[in-house]
Amino acid sequence: MISRKGHNPGCIRLVAGLVLLLCFGSCAIDDDRDLCCGQPSNAMRYTYRPHGAEEFDLHIFSLRHLLFDGEGTFIREIEPGADPKLQPLSLATGRYTMLTLGNMTGNSILNHEEFPQLDQLLLAPAASFEGRKGIFGNTDELFWGVRHFDVDEDGLIHDFGPDRRWSDYRAPATEMNNIHCHLTVKVEWNNMPDGFGDYEMELTGVPTACLLDPGEARKAGGFIVPAHHSTGRHRLRVPLEGYELNTDFVTLRYTDDVIPTLRIYYAGEQVSPNIDLKQAFRKWGWYPSQIHVQEYAIRVTLFANGRAEVSPMFEGTVSDWINGGSFS
């Protein structure tokens, strides 16, 4: 019988045991938000949530991990683990910064070997357009994440970074963010094309390098993205099919002030006016600095008198979509 004047020790032990059993029994080690698993770890978790739900597996297929010390000096590149979303780490006691890049292939380059300081690190396209110096082709569909963390004497990671976006994380996690732009372009003629075969489309004033220094990073819709460093030319060869041209430019992300100009060439001659997309974007209410996922689609109509009309195409979900008319 339980005394009314006190607590039964056996009952207290039973209740405590049930609480612990429920906690550890429901703890999922692969869920970095689990309250019962909120302990320091010797692994870094990776997540990508552009719209609130986890979409890592849909967009990110490989990771590169660059490790820097607390002063921002490059230490080494860490070989990725078997599971891209969970990177084991074996590090000495100290403070570190891990810079992680997603989907980086031979179409992108880093200067970390030439300039081993984090505040000098640049990411840029690698592939030139048909070997032409200073003109780039498509880059990778790039993602990045930066995490500052401490490692204790037991080799466990303690992550208390103030830039964490989701407060429900209990285990160390790096949030991957989108740092590329898709611009889909459809070109039509009001009359007849200038010729048949291949055309070339070129963007000028498009970002061709970005700073990976987290101290220079910006926020786009609550997501952390790198600042752009320089602009240049980006060109693609596009075949005429069914009396129209269709292509997809993949570049580094735009900003409100860095939006390219489009030109179209045939047989080495420019067959379109200079199409200032910055003016078009502003007319349509598209502000790249304010959104995380940049996916734009436009239609260009060329007229015999040399005029071009540009209108937006709606394909999928565009965060800053505002219905707009054509731009000439």
Side-chain angles (χ1 to χ4, degrees), residues 3 20 33 58 65 71 78 106 113 120 126 130 141-142 150-151 186 190 198 202 221 268 292:
S3 171
L20 288 173
R33 296 169 297 165
L58 297 177
H65 306 288
E71 302 301 319
I78 295 178
E113 295 180 352
Q120 297 176 307
E130 298 181 352
E141 295 184 333
L142 293 163
D150 294 320
V151 175
K186 178 190 290 289
N190 186 55
D198 288 349
E202 182 179 82
H292 176 217

Side-chain angles (χ1 to χ4, degrees), residues 176-241:
M176 300 299 294
N177 294 331
N178 187 311
I179 62 171
H180 66 273
C181 176
H182 275 277
L183 175 66
T184 299
V185 181
K186 178 190 290 289
V187 178
E188 303 169 326
W189 279 262
N190 186 55
N191 190 9
M192 288 292 292
D194 294 88
F196 296 91
D198 288 349
Y199 285 70
E200 293 179 8
M201 287 197 219
E202 182 179 82
L203 298 178
T204 58
V206 70
T208 51
C210 62
L211 292 165
L212 296 184
D213 177 9
E216 298 292 332
R218 305 289 186 264
K219 285 196 174 182
F223 295 82
I224 300 172
V225 297
H228 86 274
H229 176 266
S230 59
T231 61
R233 300 167 67 188
H234 184 108
R235 187 178 285 214
L236 298 176
R237 183 172 295 279
V238 186
L240 182 71
E241 296 179 347

